[in-house]
Amino acid sequence: MPASPRTARAINDRLALRLLQQDGPLTAGQLKKLTGLSRPTVADLVERLTASGFVQVVGEAGETRRGPNAKLYGIVADRAHLAALDVRTEGVTVLVSDLVGAVRAEAALPIGGDTGTGPAVEQAVAHVERVLKEAGADRLHTVGIGAPGLIDPAGGELRDSSGLPEWHRQLVAALQERLPEARVHVENETNLAALAEQREGAARDRDTFVLLWLGHGTGAAVVLDGTLRRGASGGTGEIGFLPVPGTPSLPTATDCDGGFHSLAGSAAITQLASDHGVSAAPRTHEPPAAGAVREAVRAVAGGAESAEGADLAGASGRFLDALADRLAVGVASVVAVLDPGCVVLGGEVGQAGGAELASRVAARVRRMSPLPTEVRPGALGGGAVLRGALLTARDRAQDQVFAPPGR
């Protein structure tokens, strides 16, 4: 059945708003070209969206043409403010943006491991309020949170996980209580990193891929046919528990030591680097392993500029080879089950390794699996979690803010 005039207007408005969000600001002529709608229909929807407070004139196009310049229309960004949180074992990073994702304020807060649950929650919530004030916003519409651990697929809540601070779980409820008007959504950190790499990073041309997270710990996110797969209990991608050769024991239901984590976690990689004579001071807020991998890649690229440089390059190359051997075990296991065609080495370590590490892993996977698999370095590193949380918050907020009246 053909859509009613009201439904057609709602569809056209939503399409125009989505284009303004993705590609804006735009002129009416550009909207006409992108939507395929007639000039009168575009003029009508622009007038309607402007009157509704969704869209405003933000400037003029710089096109050379007769007559006055065309008006540029953009989304009213201050209509809602969003927050994104990257919750880690050692602290929390908070970002506040407007409705189109422009960052207004961002800051990290370390939280010591000896901090009690109540004080840790209070520190984190107060930090969110400080960043909100710094951004010049009086309230939040939507909050997106990325955290390690399992997310209950039914209720969307962070499940109790051994080895993770209790304040992680209590933070979500505390934020909802202190920010009653905000909608709070929590998602596994690796899943958010995959979303960010797909939308803005290394997997923009892929609708099926696996992100292997390499940071302080390990994890994986699975995207099949454009859809993030969470599993029956929210545990898809808990690759740290994968039993692998080369470890002295097997993992247990409450401890991933002995699993893939024992080969590819930051502590294991740092020790491997030390065994090969490679070390480096990590940058602020990154796993120690990332600094060692970055130093190894730099040394290999430097080559034999001197005898000392040649020795370091040789040791660094052997370290990267040994690390690639380890990572290939996890990658090949994923490939054998899912055949994703593409694996992205994400997180701070994956980004530090770059194409040098990715190519070594790819060569080993080719020898281990008959399934063609491209291995790429992540483009966003550890920042992918925060970016993914912001993208999720923005999508959810726009779905509600731009909803047709009466829905």
Side-chain angles (χ1 to χ4, degrees), residues 19 43 46 56 78 111 120 164 185 271 298 358 379 386 391 393-394:
L19 289 169
V46 167
Q56 63 184 352
D78 287 333
I111 296 178
L164 295 176
H185 305 276
Q271 182 59 55
R298 186 201 65 77
L386 197 64
L391 290 170
R394 189 181 73 182

Side-chain angles (χ1 to χ4, degrees), residues 117-274:
T117 298
V121 171
E122 178 57 34
Q123 288 178 31
V125 174
H127 183 59
V128 173
E129 294 173 333
R130 283 195 299 272
V131 178
L132 179 62
K133 183 177 181 180
E134 182 183 341
D138 56 355
R139 61 180 180 176
L140 290 171
H141 183 282
T142 305
V143 179
I145 302 175
L150 300 178
I151 308 298
D152 185 344
E157 299 174 348
L158 187 63
R159 293 170 53 184
D160 188 15
S161 300
S162 61
L164 295 176
E166 174 61 23
W167 67 265
H168 284 192
R169 294 183 68 242
Q170 295 193 18
L171 174 61
V172 178
L175 282 171
Q176 193 68 81
E177 181 179 350
R178 291 272 278 271
L179 306 169
E181 296 181 347
R183 291 150 185 84
V184 180
H185 305 276
V186 61
E187 178 60 273
N188 174 267
E189 60 179 356
T190 307
N191 288 344
L192 290 178
L195 170 65
E197 291 286 3
Q198 185 181 37
R199 295 269 289 270
E200 299 180 345
R204 281 176 290 182
D205 60 337
R206 306 289 306 198
D207 62 0
T208 294
F209 71 100
V210 169
L211 175 82
L212 178 60
W213 181 261
L214 301 170
H216 285 286
T218 58
V222 177
V223 177
L224 302 178
D225 299 325
T227 302
L228 182 69
R229 305 295 180 177
R230 295 178 174 82
S233 61
T236 295
E238 288 295 317
I239 197 170
F241 287 88
L242 179 72
V244 292
T247 60
S249 62
L250 290 173
T252 69
T254 58
D255 190 349
C256 60
D257 283 348
F260 183 64
H261 173 82
S262 294
L263 295 183
S266 180
I269 294 175
T270 302
Q271 182 59 55
L272 182 68
S274 177

Side-chain angles (χ1 to χ4, degrees), residues 211-212 214 327 331 343-347 350-351 357-358 361 375-378:
L211 175 82
L212 178 60
L214 301 170
L327 298 181
V331 172
V343 174
V344 175
L345 303 183
Q351 185 181 44
L357 178 60
V361 174
V375 180
R376 302 177 178 180

Side-chain angles (χ1 to χ4, degrees), residues 270-321:
T270 302
Q271 182 59 55
L272 182 68
S274 177
D275 293 344
H276 286 81
V278 177
S279 63
R283 297 173 181 173
T284 305
H285 304 307
E286 78 170 8
V293 171
R294 186 182 301 109
E295 173 62 23
V297 170
R298 186 201 65 77
V300 168
E305 297 178 355
S306 64
E308 182 180 356
D311 289 342
L312 180 58
S316 296
R318 289 188 292 274
F319 160 59
L320 292 176
D321 282 337

Side-chain angles (χ1 to χ4, degrees), residues 60-61 63-70:
E60 295 182 344
E63 301 170 355
T64 302
R65 45 173 282 173
R66 293 183 177 182
N69 289 334

